[in-house]
Amino acid sequence: MNYRIITDSACDLPENKVQNWLTRIPLYINLGEKTITDEEGLSSETLLNEISVSSVGPKSSCPAPGVFADSYEGLEDDLYVVTLSKEISGTYNSALQGKEIYLEENPGKNIHVFNSKTACAGQVLICEKIKELAESGLPFAEVVAQGEAFIEDAGTMFVLEDLEILRKSGRMSALQAAVTNTLKLKLVMGGTKEGTIAKVTQALSMTQALNKMVHIISEHAQKTSKGEIPMLVITHCFAKERADYIINKLKETCDIAEALICKAGGIGTMYANRGGVVVSYS
């Protein structure tokens, strides 16, 4: 294998699929003066407990450029790097700077940094697509071109049970969170083409919200590919039954070629909170 795919730890790991072909660079979760490394094995339960008792909201921070530069070492000629959306994290810029540092002393290697314009399940979806393209034998430039086009067409949506961490972390204003919680609304959120987060619709219950999300994804599939969904990826935070529900509901109207369910890692847990589900689809 003459290529390698590198991502950050916001990219979750499928529960029943080995991804030893993927290099994940840890991000960090900051709770005041305490820093937690988002590495494999981090307990989501412990993390949520620490966030709940913390007097300050959690913040994420990205790896230094030198960490990325070190990760580019190896015998592979082609490196594909998939990072969190640059609109919500400095990870993309850090990876680019790491590329410059590495190529100054190691010219000749092909390195491309993809701005995923998404997170969590969306990064999984993109990494799987890059692997498919690279394995097909396409030249580096064509993998990059098709990978960038795939990012533009892929979709990500999510529904959260609890908005408190979003509020505490600054991703949602206190007023928005208070109004939503008071009215007991469940928001269906989605990623924009620019890589930011926007409200798509709302519902009065979690089941209604999940059904609305399923309907939107199904309509998209019907319009773009006659109901076919080549790959569906769902990240959940202690909500596997909701992930299963989404897959089963989508199967009523769509043909899903492959579905992956992932447990939220540290970054996913930090934002999704208990009960949250993130769905990405091609």
Side-chain angles (χ1 to χ4, degrees):
M1 188 169 71
N2 199 32
Y3 73 91
R4 187 153 49 94
I5 300 173
I6 300 168
T7 188
D8 55 62
S9 62
C11 178
D12 295 310
L13 294 174
E15 294 181 348
N16 298 311
K17 186 174 183 180
V18 176
Q19 285 184 306
N20 52 17
W21 47 270
L22 188 63
T23 299
R24 295 167 76 244
I25 308 298
L27 282 86
Y28 305 96
I29 299 165
N30 304 307
L31 288 170
E33 297 182 355
K34 183 172 184 177
T35 298
I36 301 169
T37 302
D38 183 19
E39 55 193 352
E40 193 170 349
L42 175 64
S43 167
S44 293
E45 187 73 57
T46 300
L47 177 60
L48 287 175
N49 288 339
E50 295 210 32
I51 291 173
S52 67
V53 299
S54 174
S55 60
V56 298
K59 302 288 185 182
S60 61
S61 57
C62 62
V67 175
F68 276 104
D70 290 343
S71 75
Y72 301 153
E73 292 284 356
L75 300 177
E76 301 88 358
D77 292 330
D78 300 338
L79 295 179
Y80 305 102
V81 189
V82 179
T83 74
L84 260 168
S85 171
K86 73 174 183 179
E87 297 298 326
I88 60 176
S89 171
T91 308
Y92 173 75
N93 288 328
S94 187
L96 280 181
Q97 292 170 24
K99 172 183 172 180
E100 294 177 4
I101 292 169
Y102 181 80
L103 291 180
E104 281 181 4
E105 298 183 3
N106 304 272
K109 182 171 286 194
N110 297 317
I111 304 175
H112 183 77
V113 182
F114 292 94
N115 169 23
S116 73
K117 299 185 179 180
T118 184
C120 303
Q123 287 174 261
V124 179
L125 184 77
I126 294 164
C127 287
E128 291 281 350
K129 182 62 178 182
I130 299 302
K131 180 176 185 289
E132 175 190 314
L133 294 170
E135 289 286 341
S136 72
L138 290 171
F140 178 81
E142 188 59 27
V143 172
V144 169
Q146 291 194 32
E148 291 288 4
F150 181 81
I151 289 172
E152 293 301 315
D153 292 337
T156 298
M157 301 181 71
F158 61 93
V159 179
L160 307 184
E161 179 71 52
D162 189 339
L163 302 174
E164 182 60 14
I165 294 182
L166 274 188
R167 184 195 65 77
K168 290 178 71 173
S169 64
R171 298 294 181 186
M172 172 176 280
S173 73
L175 178 60
Q176 287 175 310
V179 170
T180 302
N181 287 335
T182 298
L183 297 177
K184 304 299 182 183
L185 298 176
K186 299 302 179 186
L187 302 184
V188 180
M189 309 289 284
T192 67
K193 291 296 183 183
E194 296 74 31
T196 57
I197 298 170
K199 173 185 167 184
V200 177
T201 186
Q202 64 190 40
L204 296 176
S205 70
M206 176 58 72
T207 299
Q208 288 181 12
L210 295 178
N211 286 339
K212 285 189 174 186
M213 180 168 62
V214 165
H215 178 70
I216 292 169
I217 295 172
S218 177
E219 277 199 330
H220 172 82
Q222 298 296 335
K223 290 178 181 178
T224 60
S225 57
K226 297 181 180 179
E228 294 184 358
I229 300 177
M231 178 169 284
L232 183 78
V233 182
I234 303 177
T235 285
H236 71 89
C237 185
F238 298 103
K240 187 176 183 300
E241 72 286 352
R242 289 175 179 168
D244 291 333
Y245 179 84
I246 291 167
I247 292 172
N248 291 332
K249 291 295 288 185
L250 276 171
K251 283 182 176 179
E252 293 176 5
T253 56
C254 299
D255 180 14
I256 304 173
E258 184 175 9
L260 299 179
I261 296 178
C262 310
K263 290 182 180 179
I267 297 298
T269 296
M270 171 180 153
Y271 288 119
N273 207 339
R274 192 182 303 275
V277 286
V278 183
V279 183
S280 289
Y281 50 94
S282 60

